[in-house]
Amino acid sequence: MAAASLAAEILRLDPAVTLRGIGGPRMAAAGVTVLVESSTWSAIGHVDPLLRLRTHLRRLRQVEELIRRDAPAVLLLVDFAAFNLRLAELLRGAFPVVYYFPPMVSVRRGNRAAKVARLRMRLLATLQREADAYRAAGADVEFVGHPAVDVVRPSMDAAAARRRFGVPADAPVVGLMPGSRSQEIRAHLPVMLAAARTLLEIRPALWFLLPVPTDALARLVEAPVTASGLPVRVVPEIYDAMAASDVLVAATGTATLEAAVLGVPMVAVYHLPWLSYQIAKRIASVPYAALPNILARQEIVPELLQGRMRSDAIAETVRRLLDDPTRRAAMRAALRQVAAVLGPPGAAARAARHIVTELSRAR
């Protein structure tokens, strides 16, 4: 999604540019010739990538060969740190490299910022604290702002969204966001549905929205949702569903930041395999997992992680929020303060200007 919005801005600034890349349908729709479809490449934690190491290495070689053959004027990397950092090392010095959404370093121990700085890439950071951490390590970095400020915009008001989703106008609504990767859905959705069942026993009028960004993920969630028999609407309109919800139950990650932009109260959840979690605990330098809490430097969003991510705990935390309008209002105000530090609108456009400038130098 980030690469697609950036691609559209690059072509707006310079329609003569040819964009070729590794990605999915959103990038293709934005004008990128997609050489390899990568929608299923995501890996979670530290164990899963090792289990699929041979596959990832094969993909790495394939992408490296494609890039060397194409000899681009500029190589643009977007997120996907473990893969893209290795790619940057392999191609160091071959092409000018710009990294949009570089790896987060302000929330982890160690000297990753210095390691990235040594690769001599142009970094376009989407969070100010990340830009500061990279700059302190000697990296060539620019803070461009976070594209969520532009992208996270409902297409209709909450009343229209409820009509669209077949939800009664006066019904309380809880949004369920288990994550955008198949591993996350398998780990989180059954627990969320169990929590929904408990909540429904307490509040029979409750409805649930489950927004999914792709048809593939919709197919993945439909079977367990149908089997549950619960009043859960699976919908593609992500931001409309989020904005129409009174409370969200969201996997930590981008969804929590998007909810902050919308000002929707939430409960953040996540569960990793045991070994991955132990490794993550030792790497992390902050006590929080949800991005709004990391940016606020305090827990404004309740976090239920690992063993605490139980259906009864989720249901109880959501119930308290639904029953306490004052607490929800306070959380909305705190989330608006978090959204304010993401920078002004136009992040993708600012990033695109840096890339077009890099292209001009390369030419």
Side-chain angles (χ1 to χ4, degrees), residues 3 14 42 46 59 70 90 101 125-126 128 136 138 146 167 170 180 189 211 213 216 230 250 266 278 336:
D14 190 346
S42 294
H46 298 82
R59 290 167 174 165
D70 272 17
L90 292 170
F101 273 86
T126 56
Q128 183 65 63
H146 203 286
V167 175
D170 57 347
S180 58
L189 184 57
L230 296 167
M266 75 189 98
Q278 296 304 315
R336 281 193 288 270

Side-chain angles (χ1 to χ4, degrees), residues 259-309:
V261 173
L262 292 169
V264 182
M266 75 189 98
V267 179
V269 302
Y270 211 89
H271 191 281
L272 279 169
W274 180 84
L275 183 56
S276 288
Y277 180 66
Q278 296 304 315
I279 295 171
K281 276 203 309 183
R282 285 159 177 75
I283 292 174
S285 62
V286 294
Y288 309 115
L291 282 168
N293 293 341
I294 290 171
L295 294 175
R297 293 183 168 87
Q298 60 178 315
E299 187 174 287
I300 59 176
V301 173
E303 295 187 3
L304 298 174
L305 311 176
Q306 294 305 106
R308 297 179 64 213
M309 199 198 83

